[in-house]
Amino acid sequence: MMEQKFQYIVQVAKKYQSYVDHGQELFNQLNNLPSSIIRDVYKEYGDSYTRLQPVNLLRATIAKKILLDNETITAQLIEDIKEQIRTRNTNYFSDLPENFLQQLKNLSLKGRDIFANWRENWKVLYPFFYRGEIKKQIRCYLADISNQLIKDLNLPDYTVTYYDFLGPNSFGDTRCWIAIYPIQKNSHKEAYQFFLNIKAEPEVGRVAGCKLKETKTNLLMPVNSYHQAYRKLCNLRSEILNFNKQLRNFFKCAPGEQASDWQMFRDNDFIALNYSHLPIGDLTQYQTKEQLNLASNLPANSPSNETKSLWLFKNVNVGDIIFMNKGKNTCLAIAVVKSPYYYQESADGYNHRLQIRWLTTKPFEYESGSLSNYKSLFSIPVFTTVKTEMFILSQYVLRYPELKESFEEEGLLVESAVPIVNESVADNDELMASEDLPNYWWLNAKPKIWKISEFNEDDTQTYTTHNELNNKRRVYKYFEMVKPGDLVIGYESSPVKQIKAILEITRGLHARDDGKECIEFKIKESIEYPVHWNDLKNIQPLQNCEVFINNQGSLFNLSSEEFEIIRSIIDDKNIETLTETQKECKKYYFEQDPDKPFMPPEQFKHIVSLLQNKKNIILQGPPGVGKTFLAKKLAYQIMQEEDDRCIEMIQFHQSYNYEDFIQGLRPITTNNGNASFELKNGIFYDFCQRAIAHPNKNYVFIIDEINRGNLSKIFGELMMLIEPSKRGSKYSLALTYSETSEERFFVPENLFIIGTMNTADRSLAIVDYALRRRFAFISLFPLYDEQFRDYLITHNVSELLAEHIIEQLTELNNIIEKDPNLGKGFMIGHSYFCHCSVISDDYLEDKWWQDIVDFELTPLLEELWFDDMGKVSSWIQKLRSYK
């Protein structure tokens, strides 16, 4: 049976891979899909008109063109639709609701391309194919195969993570994978995994989690059947088990209620669990947790915290670390485990034991909230895993510096003896844990009654437990279970269908002044970029979340994992996270940079000097000379540190305007449904405000392809304000959309502008002369010198090929430079050859070089010498031959 399920997934993977490899086949299949599927896709992705999702609009438009317009979808048509979205062409989407068209007009294009994650057509189109019964079948088979592997490999102390063709980030994939790892670990990322990669050519083996600091090389082997996969994993079983036993785990243990038995443990160098009320005896007699549950008179699949704690305790390894806790906020001591689990009858009931050695018995009192989003440090179960180990250890070293040496002797390398703050809630399962009660929730708010978005952060609101007819709301028991400190996903239901805020319960069940029973919460965090229902409903780990099974109701329970997933999606959608604003920045020195630009130090310093004096420069040159790369290095040098928070990068294009860049009116719909306009600041305006707020730091604004935009139209008043002699508040001006004369704007002195300009683009207009005199223009050209040669050789390129590249490209550029129809601006830059670190045993040098010649240099030369294909062929032949 497993063989059939395995082969079924492989066949689907082969089909999907063929769609990727053979684009025309993908479009042939798409254009011949049943109309019922196209209709479902159109309904699914066309139902997101309350908030603009560019990729959803793209998919809905594709479905509409097939279903209603009877058009044939091609790769070019998809690119055309993307461009219509990028350029915010409301005429193209004129049949959409007015409020949606207004959002399209307001679509922000700053940062990377809005379709960066969907460049491959398969990632755009997979929802047309992977859906319905196929999706259901695949997920069922993955669960069955996972469970069978754990059983066949006899891994009772292991659990599993698997992903289907949606992929870990739901961007679409051509493979499914299964990772089996120890239950002591919070994630597969923290362990060596039994790994099964089910794709067109399946493979299996040992994979090291990405969070492991020192790892063994991954080992993956091709397989063609479930039996073969099992046999190869079976051969690796002892090795993987051994590797994982060598990994250190972190737990917390409560020595009796309110630490009543702490002194006994401390004086006798052991820790123990007291579950004498369970008729279980020695835990070593049980091979699986299911057997332990049955012996405890519980269902085999019971989620009991008692048996979970016991099973974890039984599987503790020598060398693991135990934090002894009192309540939720006090760490009494830290111990290292010195013996495996053993059973010893005792009158006090502490029969399940571990011998330990105390690393310290000094206490640490956690100040609630000092670790952002953590009201409490420890959860309630007597014995469980811990995710905040580095925070606890760093706090100990901060308070007791003498412990650093003993920690290091035990292999506990504390990277920073400072408080860790502002970590995402997604980094801890024990967030504000409470007595055996769930502590994560989802709350539905009906926007017709009240809107979360109308409240500010720290505002409080109540939610009644009975509806308008005085009937109890669905799952009334959840209202009884909430308590202060619980976190809640604040969701506005239909027609909004968006997560608007993170809420925090401030009062449990109580009577309001009007006598109505309710709970109370505050707006803990308003979400700048709300997350739509459609962004969540297809996320595989959320498929069993009760809110997605049946959303009819008010309050729903979330597991810590579900909350973590939703929290991470919220963070991904919001540009500036708390974590980013707190990270330490590395100092930057050009001389010490191992990845410095290919230019003499004197030239780099001269450019920095020009930037410091002129404030505004433009780097111009042919493609591939590293203009954007150099711009980032110049920014670091100006700032003296690698602080990307002080850098903003955009790319101009023909549709870019003053309203995008500086300030403009944007249409909105008011609460009563009337159309209105509000003033919105552009990206440069906001960046200037950030620079003004930190006058002692330098800020750098990078404009890629600066000559692609209508510069006079975009810059407006900035023509004067960006001049180095017109910086500062003394020269402030009222902007075009300023409502009063007091509303003035200036460009601060600590803001620098770097533009880049591609001299090989024949279609670009000459830079405006009024703007030209505000910038220093610096020409860059390819540099195939000794520094470039050393770079190639130290990045896996042989000396023979390195010499060939330098010799041939130098000669080729000389010919291009002398060509009367081309010139220096069309020379071939060195960046084409810098991605050479990919050369390996799996991607040989010959293949790397041939790929560059065939897929990068050939199309370029064909464009340059479109009227002399003989010349192109001759040069391609010369470039290919280097041995």
Side-chain angles (χ1 to χ4, degrees):
M1 182 64 84
M2 286 304 113
E3 197 61 64
Q4 294 175 346
K5 296 176 180 180
F6 178 87
Q7 295 300 336
Y8 178 84
I9 299 175
V10 171
Q11 292 307 312
V12 174
K14 286 182 177 179
K15 181 168 64 174
Y16 291 167
Q17 187 61 52
S18 72
Y19 292 165
V20 173
D21 295 339
H22 309 288
Q24 192 54 49
E25 182 182 354
L26 171 62
F27 288 101
N28 290 341
Q29 294 296 324
L30 173 68
N31 289 304
N32 287 285
L33 285 173
S35 58
S36 59
I37 292 179
I38 304 299
R39 189 177 297 108
D40 288 345
V41 173
Y42 182 58
K43 182 178 179 182
E44 178 179 347
Y45 289 98
D47 188 33
S48 57
Y49 291 156
T50 55
R51 185 175 69 84
L52 176 61
Q53 290 278 334
V55 71
N56 287 352
L57 175 58
L58 173 61
R59 289 165 177 158
T61 305
I62 292 169
K64 173 182 174 294
K65 287 188 175 295
I66 298 174
L67 189 66
L68 303 181
D69 302 339
N70 200 29
E71 288 193 39
T72 299
I73 305 300
T74 65
Q76 185 57 53
L77 179 56
I78 290 178
E79 291 305 313
D80 291 344
I81 299 172
K82 286 181 181 179
E83 192 58 27
Q84 300 300 333
I85 298 173
R86 290 189 187 102
T87 56
R88 297 171 291 196
N89 187 347
T90 54
N91 292 329
Y92 190 85
F93 302 99
S94 59
D95 58 322
L96 298 181
E98 181 60 31
N99 66 328
F100 188 75
L101 293 177
Q102 290 175 357
Q103 293 184 59
L104 181 59
K105 292 176 184 177
N106 295 335
L107 177 63
S108 174
L109 300 174
K110 67 179 180 179
R112 65 177 188 158
D113 179 25
I114 56 175
F115 292 109
N117 292 324
W118 297 278
R119 290 194 178 101
E120 294 181 12
N121 287 322
W122 170 248
K123 292 185 180 296
V124 174
L125 299 174
Y126 81 86
F128 288 81
F129 299 92
Y130 186 59
R131 58 189 303 105
E133 285 301 314
I134 292 178
K135 182 191 289 186
K136 181 179 178 181
Q137 202 75 63
I138 292 291
R139 291 177 173 175
C140 180
Y141 287 176
L142 284 172
D144 292 345
I145 292 172
S146 300
N147 294 331
Q148 190 64 43
L149 275 175
I150 290 176
K151 181 179 179 181
D152 289 347
L153 292 168
N154 189 24
L155 299 171
D157 305 327
Y158 275 59
T159 187
V160 66
T161 291
Y162 59 82
Y163 285 97
D164 64 356
F165 290 108
L166 262 66
N169 297 311
S170 294
F171 290 153
D173 207 339
T174 58
R175 63 167 187 162
C176 303
W177 57 264
I178 296 170
I180 300 173
Y181 61 98
I183 59 172
Q184 295 96 326
K185 296 300 181 182
N186 295 298
S187 152
H188 64 283
K189 299 175 183 179
E190 301 173 1
Y192 289 97
Q193 310 151 27
F194 294 86
F195 193 82
L196 176 55
N197 194 9
I198 311 179
K199 54 181 185 174
E201 296 179 358
E203 55 189 5
V204 71
R206 180 195 70 230
V207 169
C210 61
K211 290 187 177 181
L212 296 180
K213 293 184 178 180
E214 297 181 4
T215 64
K216 311 294 183 183
T217 304
N218 291 340
L219 176 63
L220 289 170
M221 301 163 285
V223 294
N224 54 34
S225 67
Y226 172 84
H227 179 73
Q228 192 176 30
Y230 158 68
R231 294 304 310 168
K232 292 195 174 185
L233 287 176
C234 198
N235 292 336
L236 292 171
R237 183 179 184 278
S238 297
E239 180 182 72
I240 296 175
L241 292 178
N242 183 53
F243 286 166
N244 281 325
K245 283 183 179 180
Q246 295 174 29
L247 298 178
R248 176 161 271 160
N249 304 302
F250 295 86
F251 303 92
K252 77 96 189 177
C253 181
E257 186 175 351
Q258 287 301 304
S260 56
D261 298 311
W262 160 233
Q263 186 173 347
M264 176 182 67
F265 290 168
R266 183 192 63 193
D267 295 344
N268 293 283
D269 295 336
F270 76 93
I271 62 171
L273 300 185
N274 182 353
Y275 285 108
S276 54
H277 62 286
L278 296 178
I280 52 177
D282 190 341
L283 297 180
T284 58
Q285 65 183 302
Y286 305 110
Q287 301 304 309
T288 65
K289 183 171 174 284
E290 288 72 19
Q291 292 177 0
L292 177 60
N293 279 333
L294 293 173
S296 303
N297 297 320
L298 296 169
N301 61 351
S302 171
S304 164
N305 280 331
E306 292 185 335
T307 53
K308 180 180 178 181
S309 292
L310 283 165
W311 196 250
L312 284 172
F313 194 81
K314 169 185 178 288
N315 288 285
V316 169
N317 296 323
V318 173
D320 286 349
I321 299 298
I322 313 290
F323 299 103
M324 305 301 294
N325 74 291
K326 178 182 180 181
K328 294 186 286 185
N329 288 324
T330 302
C331 183
L332 298 170
I334 305 176
V336 59
V337 177
K338 304 307 290 184
S339 77
Y341 162 87
Y342 65 98
Y343 182 79
Q344 181 177 311
E345 291 278 0
S346 175
D348 56 19
Y350 282 107
N351 305 327
H352 310 284
R353 301 192 172 200
L354 294 169
Q355 292 293 323
I356 54 89
R357 179 173 65 84
W358 299 113
L359 296 179
T360 180
T361 55
K362 295 179 179 180
F364 157 55
E365 186 72 28
Y366 174 68
E367 182 179 348
S368 182
S370 60
L371 180 58
S372 183
N373 289 323
Y374 291 84
K375 185 173 182 179
S376 304
L377 193 60
F378 297 111
S379 56
I380 291 303
V382 173
F383 189 85
T384 189
T385 56
V386 170
K387 281 189 175 180
T388 53
E389 66 275 3
M390 292 312 298
F391 172 77
I392 299 173
L393 292 170
S394 69
Q395 293 301 289
Y396 265 93
V397 171
L398 184 68
R399 287 160 173 74
Y400 311 109
E402 67 275 12
L403 291 176
K404 190 174 190 296
E405 184 176 349
S406 61
F407 282 177
E408 290 178 348
E409 288 176 355
E410 195 56 50
L412 296 170
L413 302 179
V414 183
E415 295 178 359
S416 176
V418 296
I420 302 173
V421 295
N422 294 321
E423 287 190 352
S424 165
V425 67
D427 289 335
N428 197 313
D429 274 342
E430 288 101 39
L431 171 71
M432 294 182 283
S434 57
E435 290 83 8
D436 297 323
L437 297 178
N439 50 19
Y440 300 103
W441 309 94
W442 173 293
L443 182 70
N444 280 345
K446 293 182 179 179
K448 291 182 179 180
I449 300 175
W450 68 283
K451 296 180 179 179
I452 297 174
S453 53
E454 292 180 350
F455 290 81
N456 299 318
E457 289 186 5
D458 291 328
D459 286 353
T460 58
Q461 169 70 320
T462 60
Y463 199 103
T464 60
T465 61
H466 292 65
N467 61 22
E468 296 83 355
L469 300 176
N470 203 34
N471 295 322
K472 287 183 178 180
R473 298 192 188 276
R474 183 173 175 268
V475 198
Y476 175 81
K477 67 177 182 179
Y478 287 162
F479 289 92
E480 298 176 306
M481 295 167 66
V482 299
K483 63 182 289 293
D486 286 357
L487 290 186
V488 185
I489 298 293
Y491 174 78
E492 285 189 14
S493 55
S494 185
V496 179
K497 301 177 71 174
Q498 292 178 345
I499 295 174
K500 292 284 191 176
I502 303 296
L503 317 174
E504 181 178 349
I505 301 295
T506 51
R507 292 185 67 185
L509 206 59
H510 68 284
R512 229 166 38 184
D513 292 342
D514 59 6
K516 291 184 178 180
E517 190 178 55
C518 67
I519 59 173
E520 181 188 81
F521 55 84
K522 71 175 182 179
I523 309 297
K524 181 178 176 66
E525 176 189 342
S526 296
I527 298 174
E528 185 178 359
Y529 300 99
V531 173
H532 196 274
W533 175 268
N534 290 340
D535 297 333
L536 301 172
K537 66 180 182 179
N538 291 323
I539 302 296
Q540 181 180 332
L542 297 179
Q543 294 303 297
N544 294 322
C545 178
E546 65 178 49
V547 70
F548 293 100
I549 295 174
N550 182 2
N551 191 241
Q552 298 302 309
S554 301
L555 189 64
F556 302 85
N557 176 228
L558 297 175
S559 69
S560 59
E561 180 185 6
E562 290 163 352
F563 185 90
E564 178 181 328
I565 293 168
I566 297 171
R567 172 80 251 192
S568 67
I569 293 171
I570 292 171
D571 290 342
D572 289 344
K573 278 194 169 289
N574 287 264
I575 298 172
E576 291 186 1
T577 65
L578 211 52
T579 303
E580 290 175 336
T581 60
Q582 292 294 322
K583 69 180 182 180
E584 249 182 76
C585 299
K586 179 182 176 183
K587 293 295 182 183
Y588 182 80
Y589 305 99
F590 176 78
E591 297 80 4
Q592 300 174 14
D593 186 355
D595 192 26
K596 59 172 65 76
F598 297 124
M599 63 171 47
E602 297 76 19
Q603 183 183 3
F604 182 84
K605 291 176 182 178
H606 186 209
I607 298 174
V608 171
S609 177
L610 287 171
L611 180 57
Q612 288 172 331
N613 295 329
K614 189 72 174 177
K615 301 287 188 183
N616 317 306
I617 65 171
I618 288 179
L619 306 175
Q620 61 180 358
V625 294
K627 297 182 290 295
T628 306
F629 179 76
L630 174 60
K632 201 76 173 284
K633 298 295 184 178
L634 290 169
Y636 289 158
Q637 186 68 30
I638 285 288
M639 297 184 300
Q640 294 291 298
E641 60 182 355
E642 298 181 23
D643 189 353
D644 290 332
R645 296 166 297 178
C646 297
I647 301 173
E648 188 68 73
M649 180 181 292
I650 64 167
Q651 186 178 72
F652 277 179
H653 52 78
Q654 293 178 347
S655 297
Y656 211 79
N657 56 37
Y658 178 90
E659 284 73 17
D660 299 313
F661 195 58
I662 309 298
Q663 194 178 69
L665 293 174
R666 298 296 187 187
I668 62 168
T669 302
T670 62
N671 291 337
N672 59 14
N674 296 327
S676 181
F677 290 87
E678 66 178 3
L679 190 63
K680 290 283 188 180
N681 296 327
I683 186 171
F684 187 76
Y685 185 103
D686 287 338
F687 191 71
C688 285
Q689 301 313 306
R690 286 160 56 187
I692 291 169
H694 303 91
N696 296 323
K697 296 189 69 174
N698 287 333
Y699 282 72
V700 181
F701 196 87
I702 301 173
I703 306 172
D704 199 28
E705 306 286 4
I706 190 171
N707 56 329
R708 285 186 177 273
N710 185 330
L711 300 183
S712 298
K713 177 183 175 183
I714 294 172
F715 275 83
E717 302 91 336
L718 292 190
M719 286 289 199
M720 183 184 81
L721 296 182
I722 64 173
E723 287 189 47
S725 60
K726 301 294 191 297
R727 298 292 185 98
S729 58
K730 180 180 178 181
Y731 298 95
S732 63
L733 293 176
L735 295 176
T736 302
Y737 293 98
S738 296
E739 296 180 358
T740 67
S741 59
E742 286 77 24
E743 295 181 21
R744 305 179 74 83
F745 173 79
F746 66 92
V747 178
E749 295 183 11
N750 60 324
L751 189 146
F752 301 82
I753 301 174
I754 303 176
T756 71
M757 192 166 75
N758 189 348
T759 55
D761 197 322
R762 307 172 196 253
S763 65
L764 300 181
I766 297 174
V767 175
D768 188 291
Y769 282 106
L771 189 67
R772 180 176 284 273
R773 74 176 184 85
R774 269 87 179 183
F775 285 82
F777 283 72
I778 298 155
S779 295
L780 303 176
F781 299 104
L783 194 62
Y784 295 100
D785 61 359
E786 196 65 25
Q787 181 186 353
F788 178 70
R789 178 184 180 277
D790 293 342
Y791 175 86
L792 292 179
I793 294 173
T794 57
H795 289 77
N796 303 331
V797 177
S798 67
E799 291 190 27
L800 178 63
L801 180 54
E803 294 291 351
H804 176 74
I805 293 173
I806 292 172
E807 178 183 337
Q808 294 300 318
L809 267 296
T810 300
E811 181 183 349
L812 179 55
N813 279 336
N814 287 335
I815 293 174
I816 292 173
E817 180 183 357
K818 294 174 182 177
D819 190 315
N821 295 319
L822 299 175
K824 279 188 175 183
F826 292 85
M827 293 194 295
I828 299 173
H830 42 258
S831 295
Y832 285 96
F833 319 105
C834 289
H835 191 49
C836 48
S837 58
V838 297
I839 298 174
S840 65
D841 291 340
D842 295 324
Y843 191 48
L844 298 177
E845 176 183 86
D846 284 355
K847 176 64 174 170
W848 172 79
W849 176 239
Q850 293 304 321
D851 284 348
I852 290 176
V853 173
D854 292 344
F855 301 108
E856 297 184 54
L857 299 183
T858 297
L860 177 61
L861 293 179
E862 287 175 344
E863 182 178 346
L864 294 180
W865 289 318
F866 60 91
D867 55 350
D868 193 349
M869 286 296 118
K871 192 174 190 178
V872 173
S873 298
S874 174
W875 265 105
I876 295 305
Q877 191 62 36
K878 289 181 67 176
L879 289 170
R880 282 180 178 152
S881 305
Y882 73 95
K883 290 186 178 180

